Amino acid sequence: MAKRTKSALKSARKSDRKRIANRIKKLRLKKAIKELRATKDPKSFQELYPKVQAIIDKSAKSGIIHKNKASRLKSRLSALLSKITEKK
């Protein structure tokens, strides 16, 4: 077994904590988007949309997803919003 310094062990612990936290944030993002896409009612969609948009922005800011992906997600969701409200 290779020697491991105190700093390497601490770094491994830190990265484990970060990985778990990032995973939770990414799952929260995916769940929010999935929930929004499943919504067919225009009124509830409009209520949920800003919340999901905020989650997307926070995820991009913290590096969970790339800023271009965040932009793409928001664009597609806004297109879906206009499509749903158009059906009224």
Side-chain angles (χ1 to χ4, degrees):
M1 186 170 177
K3 290 184 180 179
R4 296 183 74 179
T5 61
K6 280 185 177 181
S7 61
L9 292 171
K10 181 178 179 180
S11 178
R13 287 193 306 269
K14 280 174 65 176
S15 33
D16 275 347
R17 282 195 299 266
K18 287 278 190 183
R19 181 180 55 80
I20 292 167
N22 288 340
R23 194 181 206 185
I24 289 168
K25 289 176 189 172
K26 195 163 193 173
L27 287 172
R28 180 175 170 240
L29 170 68
K30 285 182 178 182
K31 185 179 176 186
I33 292 170
K34 196 172 188 179
E35 186 180 314
L36 184 65
R37 284 196 174 137
T39 306
K40 299 298 179 200
D41 178 42
K43 189 174 182 180
S44 60
F45 193 99
Q46 286 177 330
E47 288 174 9
L48 275 176
Y49 180 70
K51 294 174 186 171
V52 173
Q53 198 170 11
I55 293 171
I56 291 171
D57 288 334
K58 286 176 189 173
S59 297
K61 188 177 181 181
S62 64
I64 305 298
I65 58 173
H66 194 271
K67 64 176 185 166
N68 292 357
K69 180 175 181 172
S71 179
R72 185 177 68 242
L73 286 171
K74 289 193 294 184
S75 173
R76 288 180 181 174
L77 289 174
S78 67
L80 186 61
L81 172 65
S82 61
K83 187 178 176 183
I84 286 176
T85 54
E86 189 179 279
K87 287 182 181 179
K88 264 200 270 197

